[in-house]
Amino acid sequence: MKNLKFTKFALVLSLTKILTSCGGSMPEESATEIAINDKAFSVEEVLEMVASENDVTRTLYTKGIVGAGKKQGLKFDEDWQDDEVEAGPLPALFLRGISSDIRKSSVPLGLYLGSDFPINASNKLEGKQAELFKKIKANQKPQFFYDESQKLHTAMFADMAMAAPCVNCHNDHKNTTKKDWKLGDVMGATTWQYPSDSLSYKEAIGVLNAYRNGTKAIYNAYLAEIANFKNSPKPAIGNTWPSKGFNLPTAEVFIDSVRKLTSYKSLEILVKKGVPVASN
C-alpha cells in the first residue's frame, strides 16, 4: 500500500508546466503525482489567483494592444462586431467576451464587471455589491461574500484606471455619467462567482484554463475582424510583437506573454498548499 507525503518540489515540476505551457492543460504525468481530486484550495484562493491573471491580461491588452494600436491607426469601438465597423473590442468588451466564452464551458465560473458610474446602466452595482464596493473604493482590498440569492461564493476586486485609453474613453463617452476619471481611480469592480467553497487541484486548473480559453477566444475573434478589414490598415500578425512597427501578436504569443507575467504568482499560491505524492 502506498502512502502519501506532501512535497512542494513535485508541485513545482508539474504545475510549472501547466501554468507556463501554451497548451494550458494538465500534463498526463501529473495525474499520478498529484491527488487532483483533493479539495486543497478555498474558493477565495482560486478566485484571487484568476483575478490576478485577469488584471495582467487586461493591462497588457489595454496598453499593448489598444494603446499601442491606436498610435498606429487601429480603432477600437463598442460596436466592433457590427459588419460596417472596422475596429477591435474596447477593454471592457474584451472582458465581456472572456466572460461569454467561460459561460459556454463546463466550468461554473462567473465573471462580470460593474461600477457605480457605468457607461451601460445594466452594469451598475446594486445591493450587497454596491455596499461592498464602497469599501473597495476606500482601501482597494478585495471583498468576499456568499450570495444567498444565487447560492454562489462571490469575490469582488478593484478595477483600476491603469491606462490612459480607459480614462479617456470613459470621460469622453456620450453615455458617461462621470467625466473626471483620472489614472489610478477605482473605476469599478470585477466580480467572480463559483458554487463551491473549496476546489481540488483539477478544479483550480480548470478555472485557470477556462479563463485562458476565454482570452484566446475573444482575441482570435478580434484577429478575425482584422482579416476582414476592407478600408482600414491591417497590421502584421505574428511573433515580433511588441517590437516597434505595425504589428500585433498571434493569440498564442499574447497569451504566452500573460502567462510569463502571471505564472510565478499563481505558482506561489499553489506551492503554499504542497501536493500529495505517492511513495512506497
Side-chain angles (χ1 to χ4, degrees), residues 14-28:
S14 297
L15 292 180
T16 297
K17 296 178 183 179
I18 298 169
L19 293 168
T20 61
S21 66
C22 287
S25 59
M26 183 171 287
E28 291 183 6

Side-chain angles (χ1 to χ4, degrees), residues 62-79:
T62 302
K63 293 184 177 181
I65 304 298
V66 178
K70 283 185 174 181
K71 293 178 181 179
Q72 298 287 347
L74 290 175
K75 297 179 181 179
F76 297 84
D77 193 279
E78 58 190 325
D79 298 318

Side-chain angles (χ1 to χ4, degrees), residues 8-205:
K8 293 183 178 180
F9 177 69
L11 180 60
V12 172
L13 291 178
S14 297
L15 292 180
T16 297
K17 296 178 183 179
I18 298 169
L19 293 168
T20 61
S21 66
C22 287
S25 59
M26 183 171 287
E28 291 183 6
E29 66 268 26
S30 67
T32 59
E33 293 177 351
I34 302 175
I36 59 176
N37 293 316
D38 287 354
K39 298 290 185 178
F41 302 95
S42 69
V43 64
E44 289 85 359
E45 289 170 324
V46 175
L47 295 183
E48 279 189 295
M49 187 161 50
V50 71
S52 176
E53 181 153 329
N54 176 62
D55 285 343
V56 172
T57 301
R58 292 191 66 206
T59 299
L60 191 62
Y61 179 76
T62 302
K63 293 184 177 181
I65 304 298
V66 178
K70 283 185 174 181
K71 293 178 181 179
Q72 298 287 347
L74 290 175
K75 297 179 181 179
F76 297 84
D77 193 279
E78 58 190 325
D79 298 318
W80 70 282
Q81 290 182 305
D82 289 356
D83 291 340
E84 66 275 13
V85 177
E86 296 187 348
L90 293 164
L93 298 183
F94 191 79
L95 181 69
R96 185 183 298 176
I98 296 174
S99 174
S100 178
D101 192 78
I102 291 174
R103 287 198 299 271
K104 298 175 186 176
S105 75
S106 60
V107 177
L109 176 68
L111 165 63
Y112 56 93
L113 182 63
S115 176
D116 51 352
F117 291 102
I119 288 177
N120 189 326
S122 65
N123 294 330
K124 187 174 180 61
L125 294 170
E126 298 179 343
K128 182 70 172 180
Q129 291 194 34
E131 178 185 335
L132 292 177
F133 184 58
K134 293 178 182 178
K135 295 182 178 180
I136 292 175
K137 290 183 73 173
N139 57 29
Q140 300 179 18
K141 294 182 179 180
Q143 298 293 318
F144 303 92
F145 70 100
Y146 182 70
D147 189 329
E148 286 285 354
S149 63
Q150 300 183 72
K151 305 301 180 186
L152 292 170
H153 295 272
T154 305
M156 298 174 64
F157 299 87
D159 184 62
M160 309 293 295
M162 300 299 293
C166 287
V167 174
N168 296 336
C169 179
H170 279 258
N171 283 339
D172 299 337
H173 196 281
K174 62 181 180 180
N175 295 327
T176 189
T177 54
K178 181 177 169 64
K179 296 179 178 292
D180 58 348
W181 293 108
K182 59 184 183 297
L183 288 174
D185 282 350
V186 179
M187 300 187 77
T190 50
T191 298
W192 302 79
Q193 295 182 310
Y194 198 83
S196 303
D197 64 355
S198 57
L199 290 81
S200 66
Y201 285 98
K202 184 176 182 179
E203 290 167 334
I205 295 303

